[in-house]
């Protein structure tokens, strides 16, 4: 369940309270795909999630201004658990980080990082870095999505 967004002193938008909140893609749609642009970003998230699921990815973690109160986020940020991922089935775009992840943004309208990969700016794994507000450095929440059990993907993705 995705909790209500809360104010965070020093941050321009409301954010998720600290923690990783288990949800499915339908929950994300109800909570965050609230206008035409956010629905477009959501469609890219679903496309990418399906590709990651086919490669064996069990979980993604959703972050960025998409999971805040910002009316028109620029994109979404996500990181994916590489446990069990078959490199031969992984779309190579998930490993393309050049030019500000332009290939990922073109393909999905968002950015993806392996969750255990270190964000060099802060020296933390992305799954941990994503739980820090970029404006204040304070703790905030992210959304954890289990791809293997997601009903939206089960309806769309055939193994």
């Amino acid at each position: 369940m995705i909790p209500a967004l809360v104010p965070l002193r020093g941050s321009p938008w409301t954010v998720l309270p600290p923690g990783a909140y288990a949800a499915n893609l339908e929950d994300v749609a109800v909570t965050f795909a609230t206008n035409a642009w956010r629905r477009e970003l959501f469609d890219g998230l679903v496309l990418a999630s399906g590709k990651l699921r086919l490669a064996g990815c069990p979980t993604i973690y959703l972050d960025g201004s998409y999971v805040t109160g910002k009316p028109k986020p620029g994109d979404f940020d996500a990181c994916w658990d590489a446990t069990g991922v078959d490199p031969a089935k992984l779309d190579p775009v998930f490993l393309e980080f050049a030019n500000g992840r332009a290939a990922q943004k073109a393909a999905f309208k968002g950015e993806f990082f392996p969750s255990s990969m270190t964000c060099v700016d802060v020296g933390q794994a992305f799954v941990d870095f994503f739980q820090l507000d970029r404006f204040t450095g304070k703790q905030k929440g992210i959304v954890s999505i289990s791809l293997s059990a997601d009903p939206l993907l089960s309806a769309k993705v055939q193994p």
Side-chain angles (χ1 to χ4, degrees):
M1 173 67 85
I2 301 173
L5 300 177
V6 297
L8 182 64
R9 187 178 185 143
S11 189
W13 302 287
T14 52
V15 300
L16 289 167
Y21 299 96
N24 61 41
L25 288 167
E26 291 173 359
D27 297 330
V28 171
V30 168
T31 306
F32 298 111
T34 55
N35 60 39
W37 174 244
R38 283 176 161 276
R39 282 188 295 278
E40 195 171 324
L41 293 176
F42 178 75
D43 290 344
L45 176 65
V46 171
L47 176 63
S49 296
K51 288 178 175 282
L52 285 166
R53 177 182 165 163
L54 286 173
C57 176
T59 308
I60 63 169
Y61 302 92
L62 183 60
D63 183 45
S65 59
Y66 189 75
V67 296
T68 72
K70 185 176 183 179
K72 189 172 183 189
D75 64 1
F76 61 84
D77 300 314
C79 60
W80 50 278
D81 184 348
T83 305
V85 171
D86 181 345
K89 293 181 180 177
L90 183 66
D91 186 326
V93 75
F94 289 107
L95 300 175
E96 291 183 28
F97 305 109
N99 300 316
R101 284 124 350 251
Q104 293 182 18
K105 289 178 186 178
F108 309 121
K109 298 189 177 7
E111 303 175 57
F112 289 84
F113 302 90
S115 60
S116 61
M117 181 177 170
T118 300
C119 176
V120 294
D121 295 339
V122 295
Q124 291 182 306
F126 273 95
V127 71
D128 298 321
F129 170 64
F130 278 0
Q131 295 180 66
L132 299 175
D133 179 69
R134 70 182 262 207
F135 299 101
T136 66
K138 295 176 185 172
Q139 290 286 312
K140 65 170 185 61
I142 58 175
V143 178
S144 171
I145 303 166
S146 173
L147 300 182
S148 59
D150 194 276
L152 186 62
L153 295 180
S154 296
K156 291 185 176 188
V157 178
Q158 301 299 321

